[in-house]
Amino acid sequence: EVQLVQSGAEVKKPGESLQISCKASGYSFTTYWIGWVRQMPGKGLEWMGIIYPGDSDTTYSPSFQGQVTMSADKSISTAYLQWSSLKASDTATYYCARLDCSGSSCNYYYYGMDVWGQGTTVTVSS
Amino acid sequence: SSELTQDPAVSVALGQTVRITCQGDNLRSYYATWYQQKPGQAPVLVIYSKNSRPSGIPDRFSASSSGNTASLTITGAQAEDEADYYCHSRDISGYRWVFGGGTKLTVL
């Protein structure tokens, strides 16, 4: 079974660092892009960026460039989303999802984000 | 701000047909994909490419596009279709993606 399992909920203070994870199983981790999506409480979905675990190529949304870092460890089929200094406005649920696509920046074909993790809730509060 | 615009809320009577729309200039160049999200759950892909459904998605879900508007149609809406629906497409650069603001569908 293809699945993405995310790390558990986190409660942090402003200024602290954090890394959340997304572990893939049931498919070839290095040949599918992984995307990250933010959902603030009661709000809609926001596309944060994507990473290709095969070579760690990344593309960030301008809204998140410099605010977070995406990475991947091929040896354990796990993608990560990292903050160096959290803000209260980072409070949200974060989802990882597999992109069913091909080519650089999915330019050959794009069939959507077909498998999603269960989400990781991050609460930042003093 | 989102480059894709959706109506915040739409309602439909049980068994009737409803269309959820998504507008954006980038839709003249790129297809929209559509996601369904129920409360407390992760989104689920319901339509991709021009009008394709992943396995397990009922055929009452379909999509179309004209000019700068993409549409998701549910023909014969069921109670279990009550959810938030998001369109998603590449932005004007073509290298990044953006979500619409979402439409809350109520089935009466």
Side-chain angles (χ1 to χ4, degrees):
Chain A
E1 180 192 4
V2 176
Q3 57 178 351
L4 298 173
V5 177
Q6 298 185 232
S7 50
E10 300 275 1
V11 179
K12 292 290 193 178
K13 290 181 165 42
E16 292 186 332
S17 62
L18 175 64
Q19 180 174 270
I20 63 174
S21 66
C22 170
K23 183 169 177 59
S25 61
Y27 73 97
S28 174
F29 179 65
T30 56
T31 59
Y32 285 83
W33 291 81
I34 290 283
W36 287 94
V37 175
R38 183 176 79 174
Q39 188 166 39
M40 300 175 77
K43 301 299 185 182
L45 305 176
E46 297 176 88
W47 188 85
M48 300 177 71
I50 55 174
I51 182 167
Y52 189 73
D55 60 8
S56 290
D57 186 19
T58 56
T59 299
Y60 290 90
S61 162
S63 299
F64 293 94
Q65 181 86 48
Q67 308 304 308
V68 297
T69 302
M70 297 180 292
S71 62
D73 185 337
K74 293 187 287 189
S75 68
I76 55 173
S77 300
T78 301
Y80 300 97
L81 185 64
Q82 180 180 337
W83 293 259
S84 59
S85 180
L86 286 161
K87 302 186 273 288
S89 57
D90 293 318
T91 294
T93 296
Y94 295 86
Y95 294 99
C96 63
R98 186 183 80 164
L99 277 67
D100 185 2
C101 68
S102 180
S104 176
S105 297
C106 298
N107 281 332
Y108 293 155
Y109 69 81
Y110 178 73
Y111 293 162
M113 303 171 91
D114 65 340
V115 180
W116 291 68
Q118 82 276 21
T120 296
T121 299
V122 175
T123 302
V124 184
S125 174
S126 55
Chain B
S1 63
S2 176
E3 296 175 28
L4 298 176
T5 301
Q6 298 183 242
D7 291 328
V10 170
S11 62
V12 61
L14 184 67
Q16 297 303 299
T17 296
V18 62
R19 177 174 292 181
I20 296 169
T21 61
C22 174
Q23 290 188 302
D25 285 342
N26 34 330
L27 297 177
R28 297 184 186 278
S29 303
Y30 304 109
Y31 293 127
T33 53
W34 290 90
Y35 299 88
Q36 175 194 70
Q37 187 182 34
K38 296 181 179 179
Q41 298 183 19
V44 172
L45 177 66
V46 294
I47 292 285
Y48 65 92
S49 194
K50 188 174 181 179
N51 181 23
S52 297
R53 286 174 287 105
S55 62
I57 301 300
D59 61 6
R60 62 179 179 271
F61 289 88
S62 64
S64 61
S65 184
S66 179
N68 73 336
T69 301
S71 300
L72 174 71
T73 299
I74 307 174
T75 303
Q78 303 299 302
E80 61 263 32
D81 299 333
E82 188 163 286
D84 294 326
Y85 290 86
Y86 295 90
C87 60
H88 181 49
S89 186
R90 294 180 190 266
D91 72 1
I92 56 174
S93 78
Y95 293 99
R96 299 175 180 84
W97 279 261
V98 63
F99 284 99
T103 297
K104 182 177 182 60
L105 176 66
T106 300
V107 179
L108 305 171

